[in-house]
Amino acid sequence: TVTANGSKLEGAEDPVIEPKIISGFLVEGDEFTGAVEREAGEEPKNYAVKKGTLALSSNYTLTFRQGTFTIHPKSEQTNIKVEGIPEEITYGDNGFTVVVDTTDEKEFLGEVTVVSSDENVLAVDGKNVTVKNAGTATLTVTAKGNAYYHDCEKNYTITVNKRTIKVEPIYTSKYVGETEDPVIGHKIVEGSLVNGDAFTGALTRTA
């Protein structure tokens, strides 16, 4: 009488499932041919192991007792902490660095990647994030898993607020009869321009 059992971690290749004799024995020089087969599936749970093509010569009466193949789930990276990401920021503010660590130094921490949903709002270089324009973007922080751990993915939606600028016209005038208006200048009374930005267009006066 023969059975066969086996196991693996979720996502791994199937090992060879070897038959195991639980009663009787093979005469020296004799051996099994073929192979047992397991029930199909890759979800973490138990699967039946069946006789498949396993066989012996006509000198044996082969009885197969159904075995079990277990797929064990990978562990979750539950102790990962992400710091340094603001919920809101204003256009023109300094960028920031995403810091990823574990709450327990003994815990596994895979390779970390940071991806922006909109590089035109938040541009990413490694773990450094630069504010490019006003808008909303989501940062996806991923700690890559391995044979024993799943990937850990966390998403952070960040609003980059518009920068407030207040402007006043600079007093100017002309004499009656002059046909051309002088250019009406302006000055910033609150806030500031950043990143080489400049005004476009011009101030106008009432007719």
Side-chain angles (χ1 to χ4, degrees), residues 8 10 94 104 110-111 116-117 121 125 140 162 164 167 191 195:
K8 71 171 185 175
E10 178 185 4
N94 292 329
D104 184 342
E111 178 185 0
S116 173
S117 65
V121 175
D125 181 11
T140 299
K162 293 181 178 182
T164 299
V167 174
N195 302 330

Side-chain angles (χ1 to χ4, degrees), residues 36-87:
V36 298
E37 296 177 356
R38 78 164 178 92
E39 183 182 1
E42 293 299 326
E43 294 182 8
K45 64 178 183 178
N46 291 331
Y47 296 87
V49 178
K50 301 179 181 179
K51 181 173 177 289
T53 60
L54 190 71
L56 289 169
S57 72
S58 59
N59 294 317
Y60 294 89
T61 298
L62 176 61
T63 301
F64 186 82
R65 181 179 295 173
Q66 181 173 292
T68 301
F69 186 87
T70 302
I71 298 181
H72 299 288
K74 289 184 179 182
S75 298
E76 301 292 341
Q77 297 183 66
T78 56
N79 293 318
I80 289 179
K81 60 180 180 180
V82 178
E83 299 175 326
I85 300 179
E87 291 183 4

Side-chain angles (χ1 to χ4, degrees), residues 47-191:
Y47 296 87
V49 178
K50 301 179 181 179
K51 181 173 177 289
T53 60
L54 190 71
L56 289 169
S57 72
S58 59
N59 294 317
Y60 294 89
T61 298
L62 176 61
T63 301
F64 186 82
R65 181 179 295 173
Q66 181 173 292
T68 301
F69 186 87
T70 302
I71 298 181
H72 299 288
K74 289 184 179 182
S75 298
E76 301 292 341
Q77 297 183 66
T78 56
N79 293 318
I80 289 179
K81 60 180 180 180
V82 178
E83 299 175 326
I85 300 179
E87 291 183 4
E88 289 189 19
I89 197 167
T90 299
Y91 172 71
D93 287 354
N94 292 329
F96 53 90
T97 298
V98 179
V99 179
V100 182
D101 204 349
T102 60
T103 56
D104 184 342
E105 63 181 13
K106 297 179 181 179
E107 289 291 330
F108 170 79
L109 175 62
E111 178 185 0
V112 174
T113 59
V114 181
V115 177
S116 173
S117 65
D118 191 342
E119 288 277 333
N120 193 47
V121 175
L122 294 174
V124 176
D125 181 11
K127 297 176 188 174
N128 297 317
V129 182
T130 302
V131 179
K132 303 295 285 186
N133 289 289
T136 300
T138 298
L139 294 182
T140 299
V141 181
T142 303
K144 189 172 179 57
N146 61 8
Y148 304 99
Y149 289 89
H150 285 291
D151 291 353
C152 177
E153 182 178 293
K154 296 186 177 184
N155 294 303
Y156 300 86
T157 299
I158 302 166
T159 298
V160 179
N161 296 311
K162 293 181 178 182
R163 192 172 189 84
T164 299
I165 300 287
K166 288 187 178 181
V167 174
E168 288 182 355
I170 297 175
Y171 174 79
T172 189
S173 65
K174 74 173 185 177
Y175 290 103
V176 175
E178 292 181 341
T179 57
E180 295 293 330
D181 277 7
V183 175
I184 304 174
H186 59 269
K187 61 181 179 180
I188 297 174
V189 296
E190 183 178 319

